[in-house]
């Protein structure tokens, strides 16, 4: 078979000798191998907790190079303290030296909600020439949520919300009215919203609010009880957002139960 690639996309495919292209086009012999579209890493955090900020640019570049070497051509960074500057991301993507990197930068949560209530992993970011700052935006109502999300649109590829009903301590989950406002405002701007959840109630409320993607699977009230997993399967079959699944063993019951969409 012959496959023609133009501008980074499959342009034509057919039996050997039947696919036309410019005479000076580079020809690669792929016999004995496999040809796949570029893969996606749909959930990663390039910021490493407790790593000195000055070491992060080199670490991020090395990580992205490793992705590309394994066939991953698009990466979603779901937020952290820092992200490589957009100018570098755009240049590396255009040169083919790094995957396309899509970022949220800052994430929304409630007042002292997760992960703002975990100060060990979320210290105040410092200014670095090679990095843009991320972090957490804490809001308690719809109006401040709208104001803050408007400020993000030129800086992010999507918006992330922590709608986590298991924050613990004195933390507060992102209010439902704030989540509604963020989703409505973001959709009006033509962008999508990813929502981090922890419980079955979080998941249902986020989907009903219009979340485009759900990050993680819910923590079961009783891991030995299959009824909750079945309820979630039925709910997700009706709602059908994209779902990124948590891989930790204690939550594998839901990851296995929820079918791909």
């Amino acid at each position: 078979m012959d496959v023609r690639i133009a501008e980074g996309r499959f342009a034509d495919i057919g039996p050997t000798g039947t696919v036309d292209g410019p005479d000076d086009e580079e020809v690669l012999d792929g016999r004995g191998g496999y040809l796949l579209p570029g893969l996606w890493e749909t959930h990663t955090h390039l910021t490493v907790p407790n790593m000195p900020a000055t070491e992060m640019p080199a670490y991020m570049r090395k990580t992205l190079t490793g992705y590309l070497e394994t066939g991953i051509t698009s990466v979603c960074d779901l937020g952290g303290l820092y992200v490589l500057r957009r100018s570098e991301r755009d240049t590396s993507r255009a040169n083919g030296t790094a995957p396309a990197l899509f970022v949220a930068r800052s994430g929304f949560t409630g007042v002292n909600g997760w992960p703002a209530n975990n100060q060990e992993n979320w210290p105040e970011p410092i200014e670095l020439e090679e990095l843009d700052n991320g972090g957490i935006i804490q809001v308690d109502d719809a109006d401040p949520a709208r104001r803050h999300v408007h400020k993000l649109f030129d800086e992010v590829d999507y918006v992330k919300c922590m709608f986590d009903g298991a924050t613990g301590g004195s933390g507060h989950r992102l209010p439902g009215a704030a989540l509604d406002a963020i989703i409505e405002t973001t959709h009006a701007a033509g962008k999508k919203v990813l929502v981090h959840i922890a419980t079955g109630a979080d998941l249902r409320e986020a989907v009903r609010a219009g979340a485009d993607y759900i990050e993680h699977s819910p923590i079961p009230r009783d891991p030995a009880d299959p009824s909750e997993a079945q309820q979630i399967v039925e709910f997700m079959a009706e709602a059908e957002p994209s779902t990124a699944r948590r891989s930790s063993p204690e939550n594998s019951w839901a990851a296995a139960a929820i079918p791909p969409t």
Side-chain angles (χ1 to χ4, degrees), residues 11-77:
D12 198 3
I13 183 170
T16 301
T18 64
V19 175
D20 296 326
D23 293 337
D24 60 349
E25 196 165 50
E26 182 181 9
V27 178
L28 302 176
D29 186 351
R31 287 176 293 185
Y34 296 92
L35 181 63
L36 297 171
L39 303 177
W40 279 78
E41 164 58 275
T42 60
H43 186 142
T44 191
H45 298 274
L46 293 176
T47 298
V48 178
N50 303 320
M51 176 182 285
T54 53
E55 297 179 12
M56 287 190 187
Y59 169 81
M60 291 178 177
R61 295 181 186 116
K62 181 179 179 180
T63 300
L64 290 170
T65 299
Y67 277 134
L68 198 62
E69 291 173 349
T70 58
I72 295 172
T73 58
S74 300
V75 174
C76 286
D77 184 343

Side-chain angles (χ1 to χ4, degrees), residues 3-4 6 9 13 16 19 45 47 51-52 78 99 106 113 117 121 172 181 187 189 206 208 222-223 226-227 237 240:
V3 178
R4 183 166 183 266
R9 296 180 178 273
I13 183 170
T16 301
V19 175
H45 298 274
T47 298
M51 176 182 285
L78 271 69
S106 302
N117 55 6
N121 289 333
H172 296 279
H187 285 174
R208 288 173 179 142
D222 180 1
S227 63
E240 294 190 354

Side-chain angles (χ1 to χ4, degrees), residues 14-260:
T16 301
T18 64
V19 175
D20 296 326
D23 293 337
D24 60 349
E25 196 165 50
E26 182 181 9
V27 178
L28 302 176
D29 186 351
R31 287 176 293 185
Y34 296 92
L35 181 63
L36 297 171
L39 303 177
W40 279 78
E41 164 58 275
T42 60
H43 186 142
T44 191
H45 298 274
L46 293 176
T47 298
V48 178
N50 303 320
M51 176 182 285
T54 53
E55 297 179 12
M56 287 190 187
Y59 169 81
M60 291 178 177
R61 295 181 186 116
K62 181 179 179 180
T63 300
L64 290 170
T65 299
Y67 277 134
L68 198 62
E69 291 173 349
T70 58
I72 295 172
T73 58
S74 300
V75 174
C76 286
D77 184 343
L78 271 69
L81 286 173
Y82 305 99
V83 65
L84 291 171
R85 289 196 180 277
R86 180 176 289 277
S87 57
E88 178 174 346
R89 303 197 310 266
D90 291 346
T91 299
S92 298
R93 179 181 183 182
N95 293 341
T97 56
L101 180 59
F102 301 92
V103 303
R105 285 190 64 174
S106 302
F108 286 88
T109 190
V111 175
N112 202 33
W114 175 261
N117 55 6
N118 185 351
Q119 289 300 317
E120 181 180 351
N121 289 333
W122 285 92
E124 285 296 320
I126 62 174
E127 295 292 333
L128 291 171
E129 182 178 351
E130 298 173 278
L131 299 174
D132 287 329
N133 287 353
I136 294 296
I137 300 171
Q138 302 178 51
V139 295
D140 59 1
D141 203 352
D143 288 341
R146 288 192 188 93
R147 289 196 299 270
H148 283 290
V149 78
H150 273 296
K151 296 176 183 178
L152 287 178
F153 288 147
D154 292 337
E155 306 173 359
V156 302
D157 299 294
Y158 50 85
V159 173
K160 181 179 179 182
C161 297
M162 267 65 75
F163 194 60
D164 190 325
T167 55
S170 60
H172 296 279
R173 188 179 72 163
L174 182 70
L179 179 66
D180 290 342
I182 291 167
I183 291 175
E184 178 184 0
T185 306
T186 303
H187 285 174
K191 294 182 182 288
K192 296 185 182 296
V193 179
L194 295 84
V195 181
H196 164 118
I197 60 96
T199 70
D202 296 340
L203 184 149
R204 292 179 176 87
E205 290 182 56
V207 171
R208 288 173 179 142
D212 299 290
Y213 305 97
I214 299 295
E215 302 300 328
H216 305 304
S217 61
I219 300 169
R221 289 185 294 268
D222 180 1
D225 181 1
S227 63
E228 185 176 5
Q230 184 59 39
Q231 291 173 11
I232 290 171
V233 169
E234 294 170 357
F235 178 79
M236 296 295 286
E238 296 177 5
E240 294 190 354
S242 298
T243 305
R245 295 164 184 80
R246 189 194 301 265
S247 59
S248 55
E250 65 270 21
N251 294 317
S252 60
W253 66 277
I258 299 176

